[in-house]
Amino acid sequence: MHTKRTLDEYIIENQNSIPDAAGEFSDLLRHIGIAGKIINRIVNKAGLLDVFGNGGNLNATGDEVQKLDLYANDLMIEYLQNTGVCAGVGSEELEQYVGFESRHNRQRKYVVVLDPLDGSSNIDVNISVGTIFGIYKRKSAVDDPVDIDDFCQKGEALLAAGYILYGTSTILVYTTGNGVNGFTYDPGIGEFCLSHPSMVIPETGKTYAVNQAYYSQFSNEMRNFIDKCAGMGLVLRYAGSMVADIHRALCQGGIFLYPSTSKNPDGKLRMLYECNPLSFVVEQAGGSCVDERGRRILEIPITQLHQRSTILIGSAALVGEALSQYR
Ligand code: P6P
């Protein structure tokens, strides 16, 4: 019987693709996978546990924090600290980054940026949510405490990025800069197994994802593109969960749009925790990712932990068509 390669096997087989990884980088990825399995277990039983509803406070960017957000955030931080190679975590749910003390005499060479549970407003109504992660090499000396410059790095400096989508099945998709692979969780053996090798986003697609309720607030150029989508026979699919909407585009082709609105003139989505990691994945799969000014997301300088951006991300032909409206 053909057994699927597990995430652990795949990571170990490919750890040499990361310079001076020495197994530490693999440890980091594997711990993210373990934390994802635990979050998956809780997300799948949310209705049976007292985890619905919000945690009663707001996160750094003013979003209501759902109880599961807090749970996922704390769990990820605990597992990343236990690796001994992660020096700190920047999270969408935390105002400030968290630094870790050295232990086990291991060198804490990496920092992780996280959206622990993206799309969490969907939890109570059983719609897909996701964890988004990115891994940077720290810039500060390994024996020093982490500082903000370790986190405020351009997306092009990412060593790895990916997401875990808790949907009809749970899939972990990630890249280390050598293509994109997807691993579907098999609860029978408790492992993520390679199910989507070498993912490539179709050049174009049949869906566009945007919150149409804000149509009147969009620029004329964006409205022209959205009108053109309908004219090209594309259909609107919008889950209110960025990971789900972008995974659809990655699999079938399409485009996800979060343009400037009057409420969020610089865009709603966070560069560190959403735009950069997902742009690294989509670019590695052959897609395009720009802001509404046409700048490549991965090249945008990062000056704040909770910096926001507009984003047009997905099939290269559709992103190109959108940008052509602005010329
Ligand atoms: P809106 C979820 O809060 C999120 O960060 C993304 O997952 C999602 O694409 C977007 O915000 C939805 O925002 O303004 O359409 O509700």
Side-chain angles (χ1 to χ4, degrees):
M1 182 182 78
H2 176 66
T3 54
K4 298 272 187 200
R5 267 193 293 173
T6 67
L7 175 64
D8 278 10
E9 289 165 341
Y10 185 86
I11 289 172
I12 290 168
E13 283 165 21
N14 293 277
Q15 71 177 356
N16 300 327
S17 66
I18 300 287
D20 68 75
E24 293 147 336
F25 188 79
S26 304
D27 249 2
L28 206 44
L29 279 172
R30 296 215 318 267
H31 276 75
I32 290 172
I34 296 168
K37 292 180 196 175
I38 298 171
I39 295 170
N40 175 62
R41 185 161 55 93
I42 298 295
V43 165
N44 287 347
K45 295 197 293 188
L48 300 172
L49 308 168
D50 176 25
V51 290
F52 275 166
N54 68 55
N57 50 18
L58 300 181
N59 68 10
T61 40
D63 298 335
E64 253 188 16
V65 178
Q66 303 289 331
K67 283 181 182 174
L68 262 182
D69 272 344
L70 296 172
Y71 174 83
N73 185 63
D74 296 348
L75 188 89
M76 273 288 176
I77 288 173
E78 179 192 344
Y79 269 75
L80 289 167
Q81 180 166 20
N82 291 347
T83 60
V85 296
C86 178
V89 174
S91 168
E92 182 188 314
E93 302 308 339
L94 299 176
E95 182 78 30
Q96 270 306 328
Y97 56 82
V98 174
F100 301 142
E101 297 298 320
S102 287
R103 65 167 74 166
H104 320 312
N105 299 320
R106 297 191 82 176
Q107 291 201 326
R108 291 183 179 275
K109 294 179 186 171
Y110 307 101
V111 295
V112 174
V113 289
L114 270 183
D115 183 351
L117 213 56
D118 176 70
S120 53
S121 57
N122 289 314
I123 293 166
D124 293 8
V125 293
N126 226 39
I127 290 174
S128 302
V129 293
T131 295
I132 308 171
F133 63 90
I135 303 173
Y136 289 103
K137 189 86 177 281
R138 68 183 294 181
K139 296 169 79 171
S140 54
V142 287
D143 296 331
D144 292 347
V146 287
D147 63 36
I148 193 155
D149 293 338
D150 291 319
F151 297 94
C152 289
Q153 300 188 54
K154 289 181 184 178
E156 60 189 4
L158 281 165
L159 288 177
Y163 58 84
I164 304 168
L165 178 59
Y166 311 100
T168 47
S169 64
T170 294
I171 186 168
L172 186 152
V173 175
Y174 83 97
T175 182
T176 57
N178 299 293
V180 178
N181 292 284
F183 299 79
T184 298
Y185 183 62
D186 180 346
I189 59 171
E191 293 289 355
F192 284 104
C193 299
L194 184 62
S195 54
H196 296 64
S198 305
M199 297 180 80
V200 175
I201 186 170
E203 179 64 13
T204 186
K206 291 286 182 206
T207 60
Y208 67 102
V210 67
N211 188 331
Q212 197 82 14
Y214 302 142
Y215 181 86
S216 63
Q217 300 175 32
F218 295 154
S219 65
N220 291 332
E221 295 84 355
M222 182 52 70
R223 286 203 292 254
N224 289 342
F225 175 65
I226 290 171
D227 296 344
K228 188 156 190 155
C229 284
M232 293 188 294
L234 274 68
V235 294
L236 175 61
R237 290 286 184 273
Y238 192 68
S241 175
M242 189 179 189
V243 175
D245 286 324
I246 287 178
H247 186 68
R248 182 194 303 107
L250 186 61
C251 295
Q252 300 178 341
I255 187 169
F256 173 89
L257 308 159
Y258 208 105
S260 172
T261 63
S262 43
K263 181 183 174 187
N264 291 296
D266 297 327
K268 171 183 181 185
L269 302 170
R270 296 75 171 182
M271 278 296 292
L272 273 181
Y273 315 115
E274 294 164 315
C275 298
N276 272 337
L278 293 174
S279 296
F280 188 20
V281 171
V282 169
E283 275 203 7
Q284 278 291 310
S288 296
C289 320
V290 296
D291 70 357
E292 210 174 345
R293 292 162 55 186
R295 297 183 300 172
R296 182 173 170 247
I297 290 284
L298 296 181
E299 291 175 0
I300 296 177
I302 306 295
T303 56
Q304 300 165 42
L305 283 175
H306 295 281
Q307 185 171 324
R308 295 172 187 262
S309 178
T310 57
I311 187 167
L312 293 66
I313 178 172
S315 295
L318 292 175
V319 173
E321 185 60 47
L323 285 181
S324 68
Q325 306 301 318
Y326 291 77
R327 292 189 193 106

